[in-house]
Amino acid sequence: MQTARLLMRRRLRLSVTAGTLIFGGLADAATKPNILFILADDLGYGDLACYGRADIRTPAIDSLARQGIRLTRCYANAAECTPTRAAFLTGRYQQRIGGLECAIGIGHTGRYDDAIRLCAQGELGLPVSETSIARLLKEAGYTTALSGKWHLGYDAKFSPNRHGFDHAFYVQGGEAEYFFHTEPNGEPSLFLDGKPVARDGYMTDLITDDAVRFIAQKRESPFFLYVAYTAPHSPYQGPQDAHDCPLPPDSERWNQSKGPRETYVAMIERMDEGVAKILAALDASGVASNTAVVFTSDNGATRSGSCGPLRGFKGSTFEGGLRVPALVRWPGKIEPGRVSEQVCLTMDFTVSFAAMAGVTLPPGRSFDGIDVLRHLAEGREPAPRTLFWRMRRGNLTRWAVIDGTLKLVREKSGASEETHLFDLAADPAETRDLAESRAEAAETLMAALAAWERRVKPMR
């Protein structure tokens, strides 16, 4: 036990103090790859055919697994969308930003004390002082585009174009009607380059069509395309559910826990059709062989979806809320048909994209992730990681720490507090709590969590 404890502390100390671990870059100035990052919204670990769901057909997304690699231990940076998106854009733990540990509420509202404070100051969103991957890639010669959901601030100063996107067709907030493109309060949510825009059509199709048009454009430079689908997030509306007026705010379709199964399936299958069109556009433009494609989700499924054998759902720091499907196709770099248990976070893809492009970070700025695609491309064995989570909403705070195979889950609400410890290697479904029988290991992880919280304390 003493030896194991020392090894654990050594690994935790390295994680907490090293800050950034990058396996190395693969950039070649003459052959910089195009980068396509596809992010689903609330898609669970068990919501794709290639992850075991039998009642959903996802042939296009599944093709990425056959032509690339399927990850079984990929985690979102948070169990809901705004924080994961902030971590992806910056390549850093979202806690460093301030105010973005919880999804920004409809109508631009903060949902916990720090977010409420920043909202009152007009500062709730991703500030341009952060170093976004879009800006880094733009400075490295890439043409950059966003097609889909933003959810990183309503004010114009937080818009995607201010963060380095040359083109941005986006849903501004957290959820939008699929046919009328409005929030539950009726406010328009569809924007083009910072200005409201009206379009006819099903939201998933509009996102797909915009992405296809971008890929089809003739250009000399490489491109970075961030496709952020709103599916299968509520409201639960399939492509055949068109109607004459927007859903009322009290419609059951907005309820994230009560999506009809057949509608949920239709939403995912339409997204898969969109992915098929996007991949076909790469082929038609002759750039598929030099395009790295990553598909993943911003968090686990709601109770309307499936997290497979995992415990918990969206919003939870149990595995079901955090572990997500992830597929990578990178022709000539990653051998097709592989499956990897490498532990990784959303922000690791950001580090890999920067390495592909050979970007240089500004002085005093570093990433928190690793170059996971380099690791996968070189066929290395899974390396142990120490990862941290903290989520806040109201007076509720949830934490999690993974170190190797051990995972600590902690929750505090007012005076109520609980802590759990699991061995994910023996118990991936988190059914056997080891907090009492392995109290020393739990204490070590708690100390590591406290050290991490001090390290990522925001400056604003």
Side-chain angles (χ1 to χ4, degrees):
M1 170 63 76
Q2 186 68 17
T3 300
R5 184 182 182 190
L6 288 172
L7 287 172
M8 182 185 297
R9 283 186 169 174
R10 181 178 302 167
R11 187 159 64 241
L12 288 167
R13 186 166 57 251
L14 286 171
S15 173
V16 171
T17 60
T20 302
L21 173 61
I22 302 178
F23 286 123
L26 289 176
D28 181 334
T31 59
K32 291 181 179 179
N34 302 304
I35 299 168
L36 171 58
F37 184 69
I38 306 174
L39 188 67
D41 195 352
D42 290 359
L43 186 74
Y45 186 80
D47 270 336
L48 295 175
C50 61
Y51 281 85
R53 183 153 182 172
D55 64 336
I56 291 181
R57 296 167 296 177
T58 51
I61 298 171
D62 295 343
S63 74
L64 297 174
R66 294 192 305 274
Q67 298 165 8
I69 192 167
R70 181 170 65 89
L71 304 178
T72 60
R73 292 289 306 281
C74 182
Y75 292 89
N77 261 79
E80 57 182 4
C81 52
T82 290
T84 294
R85 293 162 200 272
F88 169 65
L89 263 293
T90 62
R92 291 153 62 86
Y93 280 112
Q94 61 273 15
Q95 284 76 17
R96 294 185 183 275
I97 302 168
L100 300 183
E101 294 184 50
C102 178
I104 297 174
I106 296 299
H108 198 57
T109 58
R111 288 170 158 170
Y112 68 102
D113 53 10
D114 194 36
I116 293 169
R117 173 184 65 84
L118 288 169
C119 188
Q121 298 172 359
E123 296 297 332
L124 182 59
L126 182 66
V128 295
S129 57
E130 290 293 328
T131 305
S132 82
I133 186 61
R135 186 184 302 118
L136 290 172
L137 293 174
K138 180 179 173 66
E139 292 171 353
Y142 278 68
T143 302
T144 58
L146 164 67
S147 301
K149 181 173 175 177
W150 179 238
H151 205 189
L152 289 172
Y154 282 65
D155 292 345
K157 64 182 177 181
F158 301 125
S159 68
N161 302 90
R162 297 290 302 277
H163 286 282
F165 286 99
D166 296 309
H167 167 81
F169 173 70
Y170 59 100
V171 175
Q172 181 174 247
E175 55 187 339
E177 229 267 5
Y178 277 78
F179 295 95
F180 288 87
H181 321 133
T182 54
E183 295 194 337
N185 60 11
E187 290 296 314
S189 190
L190 196 60
F191 283 70
L192 175 63
D193 293 334
K195 298 180 179 180
V197 63
R199 295 279 176 84
D200 292 329
Y202 185 62
M203 182 66 74
T204 301
D205 296 343
L206 294 178
I207 293 169
T208 296
D209 293 345
D210 186 75
V212 168
R213 281 193 297 270
F214 175 79
I215 293 171
Q217 294 172 6
K218 300 296 183 182
R219 61 177 65 85
E220 297 298 324
S221 62
F223 67 77
F224 165 57
L225 174 57
Y226 172 25
V227 179
Y229 281 110
T230 58
H233 195 294
S234 62
Y236 295 108
Q237 297 172 291
Q240 307 304 319
D241 294 334
H243 41 276
D244 295 332
C245 58
L247 291 173
D250 60 352
S251 171
E252 280 289 288
R253 298 280 178 161
W254 293 105
N255 190 322
Q256 295 188 21
S257 297
K258 295 185 178 181
R261 189 198 67 80
E262 62 277 8
T263 303
Y264 192 83
V265 169
M267 293 171 75
I268 293 176
E269 291 186 347
R270 189 58 155 236
M271 178 173 62
D272 185 76
E273 292 173 14
V275 172
K277 292 179 180 179
I278 291 171
L279 297 179
L282 294 178
D283 291 331
S285 298
V287 298
S289 63
N290 191 39
T291 301
V293 181
V294 175
F295 177 95
T296 188
S297 179
D298 62 346
N299 46 251
T302 65
R303 294 182 183 275
S304 297
S306 171
C307 296
L310 306 177
R311 176 178 178 178
F313 293 91
K314 175 183 177 180
S316 163
T317 51
F318 291 108
E319 291 289 282
L322 296 172
R323 200 189 297 197
V324 291
L327 307 164
V328 181
R329 186 184 80 177
W330 191 6
K333 298 292 185 180
I334 290 181
E335 183 182 353
R338 290 173 51 203
V339 177
S340 174
E341 296 181 353
Q342 176 60 53
V343 174
C344 59
L345 267 178
T346 312
M347 66 185 181
D348 294 334
F349 296 122
T350 315
V351 180
S352 293
F353 297 161
M356 290 178 189
V359 304
T360 301
L361 287 172
R365 182 67 52 144
S366 62
F367 289 126
D368 288 326
I370 65 170
D371 184 355
V372 68
L373 297 190
R374 167 81 180 212
H375 186 83
L376 297 173
E378 293 184 346
R380 301 187 189 187
E381 291 297 314
R385 300 284 301 280
T386 304
L387 304 176
F388 301 90
W389 290 267
R390 186 182 68 205
M391 298 181 56
R392 302 190 60 200
R393 181 175 293 218
N395 67 350
L396 172 67
T397 304
R398 291 187 169 116
W399 298 264
V401 184
I402 287 179
D403 179 62
T405 67
L406 289 183
K407 179 180 177 185
L408 180 99
V409 176
R410 181 185 174 207
E411 181 174 311
K412 184 176 182 180
S413 180
S416 176
E417 184 172 351
E418 57 184 59
T419 301
H420 310 278
L421 182 69
F422 305 101
D423 183 343
L424 295 178
D427 180 28
E430 296 171 302
T431 61
R432 298 187 293 277
D433 190 351
L434 307 176
E436 292 187 6
S437 61
R438 301 189 63 178
E440 192 175 24
E443 290 175 7
T444 300
L445 290 174
M446 287 286 284
L449 177 60
W452 170 79
E453 288 186 292
R454 291 191 294 270
R455 181 164 61 90
V456 300
K457 186 176 181 179
M459 297 302 295
R460 63 171 187 151

